[in-house]
């Protein structure tokens, strides 16, 4: 007894041919992959840079110190 596959073999081969023919980096081949591999890291880097900059500004001006 064999189980039925989750995804039809023809569609799988079609997807494989498509992804093998695209000449981009592997992590940028899918339509949603640009969000996970470009946008999210850029947002995290921008947020971290802003918070570090604000912390340095506050330390240099003595803002936010507890008594």
């Amino acid at each position: 007894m064999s189980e039925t596959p989750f995804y039809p073999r023809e569609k799988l081969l079609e997807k494989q041919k498509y992804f093998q023919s695209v000449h981009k980096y592997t992590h940028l081949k899918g339509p949603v992959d640009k969000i996970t591999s470009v946008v999210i890291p850029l947002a995290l880097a921008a947020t971290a840079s802003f918070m570090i900059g604000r912390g340095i500004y506050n330390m240099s001006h003595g803002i936010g110190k507890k008594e």
Side-chain angles (χ1 to χ4, degrees):
M1 292 186 129
S2 64
E3 283 188 42
T4 58
F6 290 117
Y7 206 64
R9 187 173 209 69
E10 297 79 27
K11 290 198 179 228
L12 182 64
L13 291 174
E14 182 182 315
K15 290 273 187 187
Q16 282 180 342
K17 285 180 187 176
Y18 168 73
F19 281 116
Q20 288 171 359
S21 68
V22 175
H23 295 291
K24 289 184 183 178
Y25 293 112
T26 305
H27 63 281
L28 293 176
K29 285 187 177 180
V32 185
D33 294 337
K34 291 180 184 74
I35 294 172
T36 58
S37 59
V38 176
V39 175
I40 293 174
L42 283 177
L44 289 173
T47 304
S49 298
F50 171 74
M51 293 176 78
I52 290 170
R54 189 177 67 175
I56 291 172
Y57 177 82
N58 287 347
M59 280 194 295
S60 62
H61 291 285
I63 300 172
K65 290 196 307 186
K66 293 184 180 180
E67 294 181 39

